[in-house]
Amino acid sequence: MRTVAGQVFVLQVGVVLLLVVAAVVALVLQSRYDSEREARNRSMAVAESFANAPGMVSALRGRDPSAVLQPLAERARKGSGVDFVVAMTPQGIRYTHPNPARIGKHFMGSIRPAAEGRTVQETFTGTLGLSVRSVVPVKDAQGKVVGLVAAGITIKKVSGAADHQLPLLFGAAAAAMALATAGTALVSRRLRRQTHGLDPSEMTRMYEHHDAVLHSVREGVLIVGGDGRLVLANDEARRLFDLPPDAEGRLVSELGFDPHTAALLASGRPATDEVHTAGERLLSVSHRPTDRDGGPPGSVATLRDTTELRALSGKVDLARNRLKLLYDAGVSIGTTLDVVRTAQELAEYAVARFADYVSVDLADSVLRGEEPPNGVSGLSDPPDGVSGLSERLEGISGLSAPDAGSAPDAGSWAAVAAADGGRTVLRRTALSGIRDDGPLYPLGMLIEFGPSAPQARGFRSGAVTVEPVLGDFGGWQEQDPEHARRIVDYGIHSMITVPLRARGVVLGVASFMRAEKPEPFEEDDVSLAEELVTRAAVSIDNARRYTREHTMAVTLQRSLLPRMLPEQNALDVAYRYLPAESGVGGDWFDVIPLPGARVALVVGDVVGHGLHAAATMGRLRTAVHNFSTLDLPPDEILSHLDDLIARIDQDEGPGGLDGDGGGGGSEGITGATCLYAIYDPVTRRCTMARAGHPPPALVRPDGSVEFLDLPAGPPLGLGGLPFETAELELPEGSHLVLYTDGLIEKRDRDIETGLEMLRGALAHPGRTPEDACTAVLDALLPDRPSDDIALIVARTRVLEPGLTADWEVPSDPAQVAEVRAAVARKLAEWDLGDVAFTTELILSELITNAIRYATGPIRVRLLCDRSLICEVFDTSSTSPHLRYAGTTDEGGRGLFLVSQFADRWGTRYTADGKVIWTEQALPLSKHGKPRP
């Protein structure tokens, strides 16, 4: 296609194909038009002939038009070749049809114009394909339309003209293609013989390229003929070999080439990038014969001056190796956010590639996540977290950290504290070497470096110290002369000490030593060591900052979670709380005793991780405690929490109280989930509500597990939808299981799978809550938890019927005495006669107030639990308020007396009214011990 003949051939083929396509399209369109016109004419002729047939009007007005017209219509259809002939009423009810089953049904098509006396003709797509139907009216002698006749035919029945003409068209096209091919072949053969397959433009371009090769490129070109004479040499080749002007045409052996180069050019031997000399130059020569594939005899050689490249190759290799070393260091050092692990990675990496022994000494404050003490380390007590450093270091290196008293010059913590303020105290955090018996300070040791020690100078000044020959003892040995002598005798002969500096702060020092490598450290080694340490220092500082933040977050979180569960008799509770592997989250749980021997179980999850989530969790937990003291139902508590989070989000979001007004405020809260449940051991009723939290699991005494279908409710902080409460009765000994989504959700596990795994772990009767918690974590706990996990398993108890008593009290003050007497008898039965007087006084006041201010039935209930609980139920929604009566007031002292005699008292509201309750401490038993 690159030749003129080929381009002419392509043009001819294109013209022929265009003509063929145009002819085919025209033939198809004309055939379709003719077919459609023929179909319209035929359908209209058949419909009009049948409609105007003699006797048509009388047949339509006869008693049974179908019997008369159906045979005639079928005969007309078959004789005319149409698809159907249908006679029908003006309303479209068929009298005839090729399918008798459709007689009597409505005609599918446009008949309204025909019913008005006009003819209708339309094209439609039926079951047989594109079709044409015509509908004509049947009129009586007065011109009234008494019926309709429709005839239809498929267009393909009258088509077919194109099928006969297409073969002729394609035959003509094939003949034209054959003629074009033959003509092109003749022209191509003639041009190929005359131009060797090149057209004039290609020949011009070839000459331009030839000229560029000779005069423009920076590579020399030599063409040698088969007789060993130089055929062509470009300008660069003449310059490299200093050839004379008449060099072309002479033998290569006469042109002063190096013998090795002359032999290569005369031999025709292939060669690639062989190094040859040309005076003081080094040339890279590639040589190829030209007689391959039928070419002329001879050879061609290309030449490149590589003198400067050879001089730079050594430096390039050195720089490449150094860059690779630094790149590998970036990958190998700082793989974790752990200070000790990062320091050990630096030591191990440098030993494998740069030094024979490496030690990393850090300030103890860095190990705790604190800022280093500006080059001076002063310690008075063992820091938190450092007591376990020996175990961590031993796990990394396999070396054990000795006690401070057994280490040379380490001293005790008291001795370190009493030392001079100018000392530099660092801890040997990482140590690695080609052997394990080196005379270096051991891993984990607290080292006090003297002012002349390179480590002390580097830590105080931030400068790199180089000791190229340790055997000269240039002052570094003053730290410990005897120990320095052992180091030199061992064979360690050169050392570099580099401070670990990050963000302008020195964290410690790294020491690189050589023993088996005979050459001392040089300037290039110093710069490489500095770059390695700089990269490692940033990772160590990041790990230090992470340690500090993580410690603060964990401390905050642990201080906000319950340290121990409160004492209560309604539930046997076991719990587990597992933080995520990295960072802390906002999961929390709580067990809150409520009045009336009831207990509230709470579990929640704040979205997000870190200090913000932990602080928000603490605020929510405190709010739950405060709302619980109001004895509100679960749905109202969740509503209050929802409002609280909305206010927090508004105050702390962009432009809020903590924001800058311009969208630069603190991170907004995206929400939280919570489940709140209240269990009553007297009635065995459990009331629950949840806000976007996973449903609780109920394990019945027989081991069957059910996930309670509670109304989900929106997560806290979204607002807009109310929360709903569900109430159910729990059998004694049931397990109520509350958890957060970290237990059942996992990146590679669907939540439904997690729920089924939880069901399987719980479906075992007879377990204690502690055993159930252990089994659940064994089955569902991932290897690397990415989210916090909170789990509560509570086994229900029931207050014994003998420890409860209640009475219905009529609204008559005279009945109060009878109730007091019944209460006194019950207290005597419970061996609580010591509190009978105060209890009668409390109940007398509460019942009298209920009779005076409330309406409807009044009920009194006593519960003997961890305390004596008195409850008075009435239908009033007005809560009594404590006030102080004046000296002249006749009343107003009842609630004051109640508050003085009772340990606690309060009011809670029910669906029917309210309950006023009091709690009194139980007296000691006869043996002087607290009652169980």
Side-chain angles (χ1 to χ4, degrees):
M1 299 306 171
R2 298 178 182 176
T3 64
V4 174
Q7 295 174 3
V8 171
F9 175 71
V10 171
L11 180 60
Q12 290 175 340
V13 171
V15 171
V16 171
L17 292 178
L18 182 62
L19 292 175
V20 171
V21 170
V24 170
V25 171
L27 180 62
V28 171
L29 293 177
Q30 183 63 35
S31 175
R32 180 173 180 179
Y33 173 76
D34 293 341
S35 299
E36 184 173 351
R37 184 177 60 182
E38 174 63 21
R40 286 177 174 271
N41 292 339
R42 187 181 299 185
S43 65
M44 180 60 72
V46 172
E48 288 180 345
S49 299
F50 195 80
N52 297 322
M56 187 65 179
V57 174
S58 60
L60 289 173
R61 289 179 172 175
R63 298 182 58 184
D64 190 0
S66 294
V68 177
L69 297 177
Q70 175 68 6
L72 298 176
E74 283 301 293
R75 194 159 42 244
R77 178 181 67 82
K78 294 176 181 179
S80 62
V82 298
D83 293 328
F84 63 85
V85 176
V86 176
M88 67 192 88
T89 66
Q91 292 76 27
I93 304 303
R94 297 187 183 102
Y95 289 139
T96 67
H97 195 275
N99 184 0
R102 297 188 180 182
I103 295 175
K105 297 182 179 180
H106 200 280
F107 179 73
M108 304 300 293
S110 300
I111 62 172
R112 185 171 183 179
E116 294 174 353
R118 302 191 303 274
T119 61
V120 179
Q121 195 168 56
E122 58 183 352
T123 303
F124 68 97
T125 301
T127 56
L128 299 178
L130 188 64
S131 304
V132 176
R133 60 188 171 205
S134 301
V135 183
V136 299
V138 179
K139 300 179 181 179
D140 58 7
Q142 288 75 29
K144 179 181 179 182
V145 177
V146 297
L148 304 176
V149 175
I153 186 171
T154 307
I155 293 178
K156 68 180 181 179
K157 283 188 175 183
V158 296
S159 63
D163 297 340
H164 301 289
Q165 298 176 10
L166 284 176
L168 180 61
L169 179 63
F170 288 141
M177 290 290 291
L179 291 175
T181 304
T184 302
L186 292 175
V187 174
S188 177
R189 183 179 303 175
R190 182 67 179 270
L191 290 176
R192 190 179 298 112
R193 282 200 307 267
Q194 295 181 354
T195 63
H196 299 285
L198 300 176
D199 59 16
S201 62
E202 290 177 328
M203 296 180 67
T204 301
R205 188 165 57 252
M206 183 181 68
Y207 174 78
E208 294 173 350
H209 292 171
H210 176 270
D211 188 73
V213 169
L214 290 179
H215 304 290
S216 301
V217 299
R218 288 296 305 274
E219 288 192 355
V221 178
L222 296 175
I223 300 178
V224 180
D227 55 357
R229 296 180 182 275
L230 183 64
V231 176
L232 184 144
N234 70 343
D235 295 347
E236 182 67 10
R238 291 177 182 274
R239 184 186 69 81
L240 293 176
F241 287 109
D242 195 18
L243 296 176
D246 60 346
E248 295 177 354
R250 297 172 58 181
L251 295 173
V252 294
S253 58
E254 301 174 355
L255 296 177
F257 290 115
D258 179 84
H260 183 54
T261 304
L264 175 64
L265 295 176
S267 66
R269 173 178 58 85
T272 302
D273 291 335
E274 285 190 4
V275 179
H276 293 256
T277 59
E280 296 181 355
R281 297 186 180 93
L282 292 177
L283 303 180
S284 175
V285 180
S286 296
H287 189 241
R288 292 289 186 276
T290 59
D291 56 358
R292 293 181 302 178
D293 301 328
S299 62
V300 60
T302 58
L303 319 166
R304 285 184 293 115
D305 188 354
T306 61
T307 305
E308 296 180 358
L309 182 62
R310 294 285 177 177
L312 294 176
S313 60
K315 295 183 179 180
V316 171
D317 292 340
L318 181 62
R320 183 171 57 250
N321 293 335
R322 181 171 178 174
L323 288 175
K324 185 177 185 304
L325 183 67
L326 294 176
Y327 173 78
D328 294 341
V331 174
S332 303
I333 301 174
T335 59
T336 63
L337 287 173
D338 185 272
V339 174
V340 177
R341 180 67 244 177
T342 303
Q344 189 65 27
E345 287 173 348
L346 169 62
E348 293 174 354
Y349 182 83
V351 165
R353 297 165 178 81
F354 175 65
D356 295 327
Y357 294 91
V358 179
S359 64
V360 179
D361 306 313
L362 299 177
D364 262 338
S365 57
V366 175
L367 298 174
R368 298 194 302 269
E370 302 172 0
E371 292 284 346
N374 296 326
V376 179
S377 177
L379 298 172
S380 58
D381 296 313
D384 296 337
V386 178
S387 59
L389 179 63
S390 299
E391 292 78 1
R392 296 174 61 196
L393 297 175
E394 182 176 357
I396 292 175
S397 65
L399 299 175
S400 60
D403 295 334
S406 63
D409 296 331
S412 63
W413 285 98
V416 172
D420 180 67
R423 71 196 187 284
T424 300
V425 180
L426 302 175
R427 185 173 294 277
R428 181 58 52 89
T429 308
L431 179 64
S432 182
I434 57 177
R435 295 170 57 184
D436 296 337
D437 58 350
L440 301 175
Y441 291 127
L443 193 67
M445 176 180 174
L446 192 67
I447 308 170
E448 181 182 352
F449 291 101
S452 62
Q455 291 81 359
R457 296 200 302 270
F459 186 74
R460 290 177 177 274
S461 66
V464 179
T465 303
V466 183
E467 297 288 346
V469 182
L470 292 177
D472 291 346
F473 295 107
W476 68 274
Q477 77 284 356
E478 295 180 6
Q479 162 72 21
D480 185 348
E482 182 180 353
H483 185 249
R485 175 62 61 183
R486 289 200 304 270
I487 290 176
V488 174
D489 293 343
Y490 183 77
I492 299 176
H493 60 81
S494 186
M495 179 174 66
I496 302 176
T497 301
V498 184
L500 286 141
R501 181 191 296 273
R503 300 178 178 91
V505 178
V506 178
L507 309 174
V509 292
S511 301
F512 303 88
M513 292 157 277
R514 280 183 176 173
E516 290 192 356
K517 295 181 177 66
E519 62 275 6
F521 286 113
E522 299 176 349
E523 182 178 353
D524 290 340
D525 298 322
V526 174
S527 61
L528 179 59
E530 286 182 297
E531 293 192 40
L532 282 176
V533 171
T534 299
R535 290 172 180 259
V538 173
S539 298
I540 290 176
D541 190 56
N542 289 337
R544 176 190 66 81
R545 291 168 177 263
Y546 171 78
T547 300
R548 179 182 61 185
E549 183 175 343
H550 182 72
T551 302
M552 293 173 56
V554 170
T555 302
L556 174 63
Q557 185 186 43
R558 290 178 177 174
S559 67
L560 295 176
L561 289 171
R563 297 179 180 270
M564 58 183 299
L565 297 182
E567 296 182 353
Q568 44 81 30
N569 291 338
L571 298 168
D572 288 330
V573 181
Y575 68 92
R576 296 288 188 275
Y577 181 83
L578 299 175
E581 187 170 290
S582 61
V584 295
D587 293 15
W588 94 93
F589 65 93
D590 226 326
V591 179
I592 306 173
L594 299 177
R598 298 169 302 140
V599 175
L601 298 176
V602 190
V603 66
D605 183 4
V606 176
V607 176
H609 291 82
L611 287 172
H612 190 73
T616 304
M617 174 268 289
R619 299 169 76 172
L620 288 179
R621 181 169 178 259
T622 302
V624 169
H625 273 269
N626 292 335
F627 294 145
S628 297
T629 59
L630 301 177
D631 215 343
L632 300 175
D635 57 336
E636 293 188 23
I637 287 183
L638 293 182
S639 297
H640 286 300
L641 291 177
D642 185 59
D643 294 339
L644 173 63
I645 288 190
R647 289 196 301 272
I648 293 175
D649 206 1
Q650 180 180 3
D651 294 341
E652 297 186 355
L657 296 178
D658 296 334
D660 58 5
S666 60
E667 177 187 1
I669 301 171
T670 56
T673 65
C674 183
L675 192 151
Y676 191 93
I678 299 176
Y679 175 70
D680 188 344
V682 178
T683 62
R684 295 188 289 110
R685 305 292 296 179
C686 183
T687 306
M688 292 178 280
R690 63 180 176 131
H693 203 79
L698 176 62
V699 185
R700 300 188 182 275
D702 60 357
S704 60
V705 181
E706 174 188 0
F707 289 101
L708 301 179
D709 186 17
L710 303 182
L716 300 177
L718 298 183
L721 294 176
F723 300 98
E724 299 182 35
T725 298
E727 184 174 357
L728 67 157
E729 185 174 317
L730 303 181
E732 183 179 3
S734 300
H735 287 74
L736 190 61
V737 183
L738 282 65
Y739 52 90
T740 56
D741 57 1
L743 181 67
I744 58 175
E745 287 187 355
K746 195 178 177 184
R747 292 181 180 177
D748 56 350
R749 184 177 68 201
D750 187 74
I751 187 172
E752 296 298 331
T753 304
L755 290 174
E756 290 304 316
M757 293 175 64
L758 177 60
R759 184 193 302 272
L762 293 173
H764 296 277
R767 281 180 175 169
T768 64
E770 283 289 341
D771 293 340
C773 286
T774 302
V776 168
L777 293 185
D778 290 343
L780 280 84
L781 184 64
D783 296 333
R784 300 171 63 88
S786 59
D787 194 6
D788 293 5
I789 296 175
L791 172 67
I792 298 180
V793 179
R795 182 171 59 192
T796 60
R797 291 181 176 178
V798 176
L799 192 63
E800 298 179 11
L803 298 179
T804 65
D806 54 34
W807 299 270
E808 294 289 338
V809 181
S811 297
D812 183 2
Q815 301 296 322
V816 177
E818 296 183 7
V819 175
R820 287 203 307 266
V823 169
R825 290 193 298 271
K826 180 56 70 174
L827 293 178
E829 179 183 337
W830 290 345
D831 194 19
L832 297 177
D834 295 342
V835 295
F837 175 76
T838 56
T839 303
E840 291 181 36
L841 179 61
I842 291 172
L843 286 177
S844 177
E845 178 60 33
L846 296 181
I847 296 173
T848 302
N849 282 346
I851 293 174
R852 179 178 300 174
Y853 300 110
T855 59
I858 300 172
R859 186 163 63 92
V860 175
R861 185 171 71 170
L862 290 183
L863 304 177
C864 184
D865 191 43
R866 304 185 71 87
S867 61
L868 180 61
I869 303 171
C870 302
E871 298 177 333
V872 177
F873 298 76
D874 61 50
T875 58
S876 173
S877 59
T878 302
S879 176
H881 295 281
L882 179 65
R883 66 185 180 89
Y884 296 92
T887 55
T888 59
D889 292 341
E890 296 182 359
R893 297 176 178 82
L895 286 181
F896 176 77
L897 294 176
V898 170
S899 66
Q900 294 299 311
F901 286 115
D903 295 337
R904 298 171 58 217
W905 74 281
T907 305
R908 72 174 183 270
Y909 293 94
T910 65
D912 302 325
K914 70 176 182 299
V915 180
I916 303 178
W917 55 269
T918 63
E919 290 186 4
Q920 300 167 256
L922 297 178
L924 298 177
S925 64
K926 295 180 179 179
H927 303 288
K929 297 181 180 180
R931 297 176 183 269

